[in-house]
Amino acid sequence: MRVHVVSDVHGNAEALSRAGEGADALIVLGDLLDFIDYHDHRGGVFGRLFGEDNVSTYATLRRTGTRAEMRAFVQSLWESLDDPAGAVDEAVREQYARLFPAMTASGVPVYAIPGNVDAPALWPEFVPDGVRTVDGEVVEIGGLRFGFVGGAVLPEGVTPRANAVWRPHLMTREEFDDRVAELSDIDVLCSHIPPAIPELAYDVVSRTLESGSRSLLERIRVEQPRWSLFGHVHQPLTARFRVGYTECRNVGHFQRTAVPYVLRW
């Protein structure tokens, strides 16, 4: 079997349309949407709604500004729109209308879960034949059992705002842990975020420790699957780490590399 695995597509529909070429199946580990594009400030939802200059200002504040300055600037952007929630919804739908058909272009079965930069409530409107959404499921592919869990974990002490214009796909730690606990007797553990291993969760460019999961790490130690596959961290300190029998692997920032990770057995 040859299976291609991608994560952090962030709007790159052209590369996604080729991701399954030469494979028996394609696995997509989330973050289909390009919300704020730090590489091309004209792109993403923010670029479409507010323009390149405003995205550049936001990126600068994210690196050097305070949280209060960043929050005030974003609030001013939202207030410049007559219907911010409607504008975001339209931009998200436009991206999904391109991305979901691109998954099936190679003609192989596709298995997909959402990342934190996704709106899974909209997925049923766009999922075509040939794409199976498998969040929270265990699926047999080529004789191996693949366990899937999407989304990310809310930081401790953070409560999402009820009136937020855009809400990432984040769960409480308890909700996420409960979903991980349901994945048993697996050969491959597939998630959007990494297990809570600092070398895998640390982004060397943003210099931040990204969201990782202790329950994923515990599931690896208990189940000892052949592989643990994930994305989320775009520039990790290390892309691979072994936990006992298990090879933990960041499959790469697909938006930028356009190269899927290849799994063979």
Side-chain angles (χ1 to χ4, degrees):
M1 286 292 293
R2 177 184 173 115
V3 171
H4 290 182
V5 189
V6 303
S7 184
D8 300 271
V9 176
H10 292 303
N12 194 343
E14 182 181 357
L16 186 60
S17 69
R18 303 188 301 270
E21 292 178 357
D24 298 300
L26 172 65
I27 292 174
V28 181
L29 299 181
D31 274 11
L32 295 178
L33 294 175
D34 190 17
F35 201 80
I36 301 175
D37 196 319
Y38 294 102
H39 298 276
D40 179 1
H41 294 169
R42 298 166 299 176
V45 172
F46 253 44
R48 171 184 163 172
L49 297 181
F50 304 119
E52 182 179 1
D53 290 344
N54 281 319
V55 177
S56 297
T57 299
Y58 176 84
T60 299
L61 287 173
R62 189 171 183 263
R63 291 193 308 269
T64 63
T66 66
R67 183 177 294 272
E69 288 173 330
M70 191 165 61
R71 187 183 300 116
F73 179 70
V74 171
Q75 185 62 32
S76 73
L77 294 179
W78 292 133
E79 290 174 354
S80 71
L81 302 177
D82 292 333
D83 179 12
V88 169
D89 183 74
E90 181 180 343
V92 167
R93 290 173 183 274
E94 182 182 87
Q95 288 194 33
Y96 278 157
R98 291 185 290 106
L99 289 160
F100 275 100
M103 288 190 207
T104 63
S106 301
V108 300
V110 181
Y111 304 87
I113 59 174
N116 57 296
V117 189
D118 273 311
L122 296 180
W123 281 28
E125 299 179 32
F126 295 95
V127 175
D129 292 340
V131 175
R132 179 174 173 181
T133 57
V134 289
D135 193 7
E137 297 183 19
V138 177
V139 178
E140 184 173 310
I141 304 173
L144 298 184
R145 286 172 57 83
F146 286 68
F148 294 90
V149 59
V153 180
L154 271 168
E156 295 292 343
V158 173
T159 302
R161 291 191 299 166
N163 60 344
V165 176
W166 161 255
R167 182 175 294 177
H169 182 41
L170 302 173
M171 289 167 275
T172 66
R173 190 166 300 279
E174 291 76 17
E175 290 171 330
F176 190 87
D177 292 353
D178 286 346
R179 302 189 77 182
V180 173
E182 295 175 0
L183 306 178
S184 61
D185 190 24
I186 55 175
D187 301 295
V188 187
L189 177 59
C190 295
S191 56
H192 177 67
I193 63 174
I197 297 170
E199 292 87 344
L200 297 173
Y202 185 77
D203 190 301
V204 297
V205 174
S206 66
R207 298 183 180 181
T208 55
L209 191 65
E210 299 286 352
S211 173
S213 167
R214 292 190 296 270
S215 62
L216 285 172
L217 180 57
E218 182 60 25
R219 181 66 15 186
I220 290 168
R221 287 170 172 160
V222 170
E223 293 281 336
Q224 287 287 283
R226 295 191 191 185
W227 296 284
S228 165
L229 306 177
F230 49 86
H232 186 58
V233 184
H234 292 179
Q235 297 92 194
L237 182 62
T238 182
R240 58 191 300 177
F241 195 97
R242 182 165 291 277
V243 178
Y245 179 71
T246 304
E247 174 81 5
C248 302
R249 181 72 190 214
N250 185 318
V251 299
H253 184 192
F254 186 71
Q255 182 207 43
R256 307 304 300 170
T257 69
V259 177
Y261 179 71
V262 178
L263 200 64
R264 295 186 179 91
W265 68 93

